[in-house]
């Protein structure tokens, strides 16, 4: 996923934006045929998100809906998603087939990722026990206390700065069906305050017996994360590992090469890295012949401060 535009699909279904007021076409897609994107106009504030959702529930047979995408809501830079969470929880009986939900599908012109104001999102998981995919964008005000969910197989948290409380909440959760975990850890400038040690419950793999894809990316402590991953028990069961978008340097590259074998991986993404050409060559020579999809695209360095390192997504 990227933040340059809106989601194009969710749960294998193409995203379709539910029309605004007065724009409803003669015929809508089948309820189960698309991932419905519901959004409020952030410029004119013609209607609030909850009002758009009420129109959606009146126009569509929600019992057949499989995937929902929550787009922009009014004043998202200062108004949290609490009302939206409450509205979705209240509608749980009308959405018995919901299997995928993404909260906060906004590009930068609607609201910068680190300005999106979230809330405790776990009531959504509690309200929808059959949910298989859940994603959220924006770390400001985001809360994720530990919970148990037996059906979830994909969890995505995209931020420019993820709080340690959320990292620990995810790590302490019981998610026995989880296969894909994607955390954008971000930078301290935008609220990231976790350390590599806080990832230990995730890296141990004890609560994640089915995990196959692990992304710990967009981090300013990518070297420390790489060192922790190099000795992490969870890696042995992975198919794909993603440490991209962060500040990975030669230190992190060397840690990966000196740690446990990674040659069983199908994919390893180290893109947006700050490794030297020599280290990049070593990584490619050691892992390239074994890993089908090896991402080694370097980060773009500042012309004026080439020594400085930045995460791919901050503000």
């Amino acid at each position: 996923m990227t933040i340059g535009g809106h989601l194009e699909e969710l749960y294998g279904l193409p995203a379709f934006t539910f029309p605004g007021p007065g724009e409803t076409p003669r015929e809508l897609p089948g309820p189960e045929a698309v991932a419905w994107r519901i959004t409020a106009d952030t410029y004119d504030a013609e209607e609030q998100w909850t009002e758009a959702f009420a129109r959606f529930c009146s126009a569509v047979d929600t019992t057949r809906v499989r995937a929902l995408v929550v787009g922009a809501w009014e004043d998202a830079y200062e108004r949290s998603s609490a009302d939206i969470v409450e509205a979705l929880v209240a509608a749980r009986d009308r959405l018995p087939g919901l299997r995928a939900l993404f909260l906060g599908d906004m590009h930068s012109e609607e609201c910068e990722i680190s300005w999106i104001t979230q809330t405790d999102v776990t009531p959504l998981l509690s309200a929808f026990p059959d949910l298989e995919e859940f994603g959220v964008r924006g770390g400001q005000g985001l809360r994720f206390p530990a919970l148990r969910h037996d059906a979830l197989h994909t969890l995505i948290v995209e931020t420019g700065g993820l709080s340690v409380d959320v990292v620990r909440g995810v790590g302490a959760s019981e998610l026995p069906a989880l296969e894909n975990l994607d955390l954008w850890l971000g930078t301290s400038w935008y609220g990231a305050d976790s350390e590599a040690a806080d990832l230990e419950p995730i890296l141990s793999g004890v609560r994640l017996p089915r995990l196959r894809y692990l992304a710990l990316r967009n981090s300013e402590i990518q070297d420390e994360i790489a060192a922790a991953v190099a000795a992490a028990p969870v890696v042995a069961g992975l198919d794909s590992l993603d440490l991209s978008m962060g500040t990975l340097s030669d230190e992190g590259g060397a840690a990966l090469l000196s740690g446990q074998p990674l040659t069983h991986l199908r994919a390893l993404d180290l893109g947006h890295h700050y490794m030297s050409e020599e280290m990049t060559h070593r990584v490619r020579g050691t892992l390239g012949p074994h890993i089908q999809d090896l991402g080694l695209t370097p980060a773009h360095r500042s012309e004026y401060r080439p020594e400085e390192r930045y995460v791919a997504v901050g503000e």
Side-chain angles (χ1 to χ4, degrees), residues 88-163:
L88 290 168
V89 169
R92 57 188 167 190
D93 292 338
R94 302 185 65 174
L95 293 161
L98 191 66
R99 296 295 179 268
L101 175 62
F102 190 93
L103 178 63
D105 180 32
M106 290 176 246
H107 56 62
S108 58
E109 291 185 3
E110 293 171 317
C111 191
E112 298 284 1
I113 188 171
S114 292
W115 298 1
I116 299 173
T117 308
Q118 292 287 2
T119 186
D120 182 354
V121 296
T122 55
L124 293 169
L125 293 169
S126 298
F128 296 98
D130 295 324
L131 205 66
E132 297 176 15
E133 296 185 13
F134 178 73
V136 57
R137 177 176 296 163
Q140 182 171 279
L142 180 65
R143 298 193 299 281
F144 197 104
L147 82 166
R148 181 180 179 93
H149 196 288
D150 291 326
L152 197 69
H153 67 67
T154 296
L155 175 59
I156 300 166
V157 184
E158 300 177 350
T159 78
L162 189 59
S163 77

Side-chain angles (χ1 to χ4, degrees), residues 219-259:
S219 176
E220 66 181 359
I221 59 166
Q222 207 72 62
D223 284 340
E224 291 89 337
I225 291 172
V229 165
V234 74
V235 173
L238 296 180
D239 175 65
S240 300
L241 175 63
D242 190 338
L243 302 179
S244 66
M245 300 171 59
T247 59
L248 188 75
S249 72
D250 284 4
E251 180 183 344
L256 291 173
L257 292 181
S258 63

Side-chain angles (χ1 to χ4, degrees), residues 223 226 248-258 268 270 273-288 294-296 298 301:
D223 284 340
L248 188 75
S249 72
D250 284 4
E251 180 183 344
L256 291 173
L257 292 181
S258 63
L268 173 62
L270 305 178
H273 68 78
Y274 290 86
M275 295 185 292
S276 65
E277 289 187 12
E278 179 184 357
M279 180 57 69
T280 303
H281 180 74
R282 284 184 57 196
V283 171
R284 181 178 290 110
T286 302
L287 301 177
L294 180 61
L296 285 172
R301 293 180 184 265

